[in-house]
Amino acid sequence: MSLNRVSSLETLTITHPRRDSHASILHATKLTFNPALEPTMDARTISANTIPQWKRIAQVVGTVIYCFLAAGVVFGFAALKPVLKAEGAYHERCSKAVATRLSPTSDNGGGSPLDQIDMCVEMRLNIMFTSAAVGTNVAALPVGAILDRYGPRNTALFGSVSLAIGSLFLAFAQTIFWADAYLVGYLFLALGGPSVFISSFHLSNAFPSRSGLVLSLLTGAFDASSAMFLGYRVLYERSDGTMGPQNFFLGYLIVPVYIALFQLAIMPKESYQTVGQMVVAKVGEDGDATPTEEGPNEHTALLRGDTLVGGNGGIEGSVEEAMDAKIDAQKHRVERSDVAGMLHGLSALQQMKSLWFALICLFTVVQMLRLNYFMATVRTQYTFLLHSEEGAEQLNHFFDIVLPLGGAVAIPFIGHFIDSFSTLAVLSILVISTTAIGILGLIPHSMGAGMANILIFVVYRPFYYTAVSDYCGKVFGFATFGTVYGTLICIAGLGNILQNVLDYIFHKVCHGNPFAINLGLVLVGIVVGIALVAYVRWGVKRRQNEIGEAKFCEDDRTV
């Protein structure tokens, strides 16, 4: 597989009469190296400039709130599980299942009937969570397709309906006998989460110079949403069980209602334009220009007649000042975002056939597997590494506390870092960080190494997810973002099935020693990470060379 030709690079050149005696016009040029694949301006986007700043701020704040309340609540299952067990979830079903297999005095090596009922409940609850966890990632694909076809508002409304259905199933699970209400309800929560989360990514274009901060806020809200059920468990315990699941999930219906009302009242129906689209749209609007059918390329100006003429025959000051600001911002963003627009203009299928997608997808599969496996086995791993149940328990409690806090504390720094550095630099830091986590996870008999490992892990996790979202938005664009990002997360979610294989190796082959598995994951992560960074670096250099050639040809024509 080879690198696709760069379809487009959003770049702008400007010449002013006061700066160049040879020019009396304002130019905006869009370089394209594959004009046949370049679409016209996407009609399903809106310009952030048409929306008041206060409203865009309200949109971001309100979205962060509902992402915290709904985006990843299913991952707080560890806190919800004791409540469901205390309320008798699956107890009646398991009692009937055990009664049909065994007499009250039968053993058959499986323990007493009560033990078997408890084991049955435990397994059913685990299946409920596993199905929802896989479903959350797999749902990203159809949700992405809905996003691309029907827009962010309709996608979020679909998510709010799914959350409401899931809440109703869980609220009345004890009285629903025609279906596995717990499983169905939790699956609907898992479907609603990515629907409201993925549909919010376009808000990064509401404030282009702070896109990384917006993405990190959303990702941090997703991470922190797992604390919802932790808060409920505390409430349940303090109420001596009076705040049962029925009361909680009926009350939780406020969340999907809030999401629906917020979407209809505040949120835009379509996605915000990227910076390049905003500049092109502004030029077309002020200059009464319409792109050609093939789209603007290195041979065609965006302005018909190549002029913006005011009533006095000169360039209108307000238009010139506005374009100066936009062009300066776009130039800075392109210089900073070395992969911006790399595959814009290609179809989702063409984008997913490229190594740009294949390598980030493989990297995501490996990293998501490592992250989720560590979260599931942190206590058992450190029981062996520290040779201490007490030490492992202390680390596990430390992990439970800093996991939701890590993302919240790191959000401003993550956003600033992504906004300030190139994507190549961000990917390089990702590879270095995940390697450090892997190495620390190999060090035995060290509580300090364990705590350092956890601290880096809880910061790396939101940083990683934000960086992947940022990479996809910049490389593939938001015209196909839903499909491409959804496919990537879906594949990574299916890759999590390998956790069962790792568990078997961990317990049966390695007898509880995590060294071999951690070493293997570290080595695979290093190989894939270096391949991704090397390919991105090569692609960026290749595009820079093509830009240089195109600018040389443009200068030659000007002369």
Side-chain angles (χ1 to χ4, degrees):
M1 189 178 296
S2 59
L3 174 68
N4 284 4
R5 292 285 293 175
V6 178
S7 64
S8 67
L9 169 66
E10 294 172 344
T11 185
L12 298 164
T13 57
I14 183 168
T15 54
H16 296 274
R18 64 179 181 272
R19 301 175 191 168
D20 191 339
S21 60
H22 296 288
S24 59
I25 55 176
L26 179 68
H27 282 284
T29 305
K30 185 174 181 180
L31 298 180
T32 174
F33 302 102
N34 198 345
L37 295 174
E38 188 70 28
T40 58
M41 181 65 64
D42 187 359
R44 299 188 63 83
T45 59
I46 61 173
S47 171
N49 287 342
T50 63
I51 307 299
Q53 185 181 48
W54 69 264
K55 191 171 186 178
R56 284 179 281 142
I57 293 175
Q59 289 168 351
V60 173
V61 172
T63 301
V64 169
I65 291 173
Y66 73 63
C67 281
F68 168 73
L69 296 173
V73 291
V74 294
F75 293 104
F77 180 76
L80 180 64
K81 186 177 180 180
V83 177
L84 295 180
K85 293 180 73 173
E87 290 292 313
Y90 287 118
H91 190 273
E92 186 175 350
R93 286 175 178 267
C94 287
S95 297
K96 291 180 179 179
V98 171
T100 59
R101 294 197 309 265
L102 302 172
S103 65
T105 58
S106 298
D107 191 346
N108 292 337
S112 67
L114 184 59
D115 290 337
Q116 294 193 45
I117 291 173
D118 289 340
M119 183 180 296
C120 173
V121 170
E122 181 78 14
M123 293 179 65
R124 281 184 174 268
L125 288 173
N126 288 341
I127 291 173
M128 168 183 160
F129 171 68
T130 302
S131 300
V134 174
T136 299
N137 293 318
V138 173
L141 180 57
V143 167
I146 294 173
L147 174 62
D148 288 343
R149 184 173 180 83
Y150 298 105
R153 176 187 288 177
N154 290 329
T155 306
L157 290 174
F158 170 75
S160 68
V161 172
S162 298
L163 291 169
I165 294 174
S167 298
L168 290 172
F169 266 97
L170 290 169
F172 297 103
Q174 294 282 25
T175 59
I176 296 176
F177 301 104
W178 50 271
D180 188 341
Y182 290 107
L183 178 62
V184 173
Y186 219 61
L187 278 173
F188 270 102
L189 289 185
L191 180 61
S195 298
V196 299
F197 182 52
I198 296 176
S199 64
S200 67
F201 285 174
H202 74 102
L203 287 177
S204 63
N205 293 323
F207 299 95
S209 63
R210 293 291 181 266
S211 62
L213 176 60
V214 174
L215 282 175
S216 64
L217 285 170
L218 296 172
T219 305
F222 174 84
D223 280 341
S225 63
S226 61
M228 275 291 297
F229 288 147
L230 176 61
Y232 168 55
R233 189 184 74 181
V234 173
L235 181 62
Y236 176 82
E237 293 172 348
R238 292 186 176 180
S239 67
D240 294 325
T242 57
M243 179 58 73
Q246 182 172 359
N247 292 331
F248 173 76
F249 283 107
L250 286 177
Y252 187 76
L253 288 172
I254 296 174
V255 174
V257 171
Y258 159 66
I259 295 173
L261 293 178
F262 189 77
Q263 288 293 326
L264 295 173
I266 302 294
M267 295 296 286
K269 184 178 180 181
E270 307 296 348
S271 299
Y272 281 122
Q273 293 173 349
T274 62
V275 178
Q277 287 176 316
M278 290 169 62
V279 175
V280 173
K282 181 66 177 177
V283 174
E285 176 186 329
D286 293 334
D288 193 25
T290 303
T292 62
E293 290 185 4
E294 290 185 337
N297 53 50
E298 67 268 29
H299 301 297
T300 60
L302 290 174
L303 305 180
R304 293 190 181 278
D306 295 332
T307 57
L308 282 174
V309 183
N312 58 358
I315 300 177
E316 294 184 3
S318 59
V319 173
E320 182 180 359
E321 291 173 3
M323 285 306 304
D324 276 344
K326 293 178 185 298
I327 290 166
D328 289 341
Q330 171 68 352
K331 179 181 178 182
H332 177 59
R333 185 166 176 81
V334 169
E335 290 174 349
R336 191 176 60 207
S337 303
D338 44 358
V339 300
M342 190 64 72
L343 296 185
H344 290 196
L346 296 178
S347 68
L349 182 59
Q350 289 171 317
Q351 290 174 343
M352 289 187 288
K353 286 181 178 180
S354 70
L355 278 177
W356 290 96
F357 176 83
L359 288 174
I360 193 65
C361 184
L362 186 58
F363 187 70
T364 302
V365 169
V366 174
Q367 296 307 309
M368 191 177 290
L369 180 61
R370 285 190 60 190
L371 294 174
N372 291 338
Y373 182 72
F374 181 80
M375 293 175 65
T377 63
V378 56
R379 182 166 182 170
T380 53
Q381 285 194 41
Y382 277 101
T383 298
F384 184 91
L385 290 172
L386 298 176
H387 294 290
S388 169
E389 285 278 356
E390 183 180 352
E393 185 178 358
Q394 291 176 0
L395 278 181
N396 193 61
H397 287 322
F398 178 67
F399 181 72
D400 290 339
I401 294 172
V402 299
L403 180 62
L405 292 178
V409 172
I411 281 173
F413 304 101
I414 292 171
H416 177 72
F417 185 85
I418 290 178
D419 285 335
S420 301
F421 293 90
S422 68
T423 303
L424 183 60
V426 171
L427 293 176
S428 300
I429 296 299
L430 280 179
V431 175
I432 294 172
S433 301
T434 188
T435 303
I437 292 172
I439 293 174
L440 288 171
L442 298 174
I443 300 176
H445 311 297
S446 176
M447 179 69 76
M451 295 186 70
N453 188 16
I454 289 173
L455 287 174
I456 297 176
F457 178 92
V458 299
V459 174
Y460 173 82
R461 185 168 177 259
F463 176 44
Y464 164 74
Y465 283 116
T466 305
V468 171
S469 304
D470 185 66
Y471 173 97
C472 290
K474 289 174 180 174
V475 173
F476 306 114
F478 281 88
T480 58
F481 181 86
T483 301
V484 175
Y485 183 79
T487 302
L488 185 149
I489 297 300
C490 177
I491 294 173
L494 293 174
N496 277 308
I497 296 175
L498 292 174
Q499 285 193 60
N500 295 329
V501 178
L502 296 181
D503 272 337
Y504 178 83
I505 296 173
F506 178 54
H507 291 290
K508 299 295 185 181
V509 178
C510 298
H511 306 291
N513 186 345
F515 185 87
I517 291 177
N518 288 342
L519 179 62
L521 290 173
V522 169
L523 293 177
V524 173
I526 291 174
V527 171
V528 175
I530 291 177
L532 174 63
V533 171
Y535 186 79
V536 170
R537 183 173 182 272
W538 177 78
V540 169
K541 282 197 169 184
R542 177 175 176 175
R543 186 172 74 168
Q544 289 174 346
N545 292 335
E546 290 178 326
I547 292 172
E549 294 174 2
K551 289 181 68 176
F552 177 80
C553 294
E554 182 71 20
D555 293 341
D556 186 58
R557 285 196 300 271
T558 302
V559 174

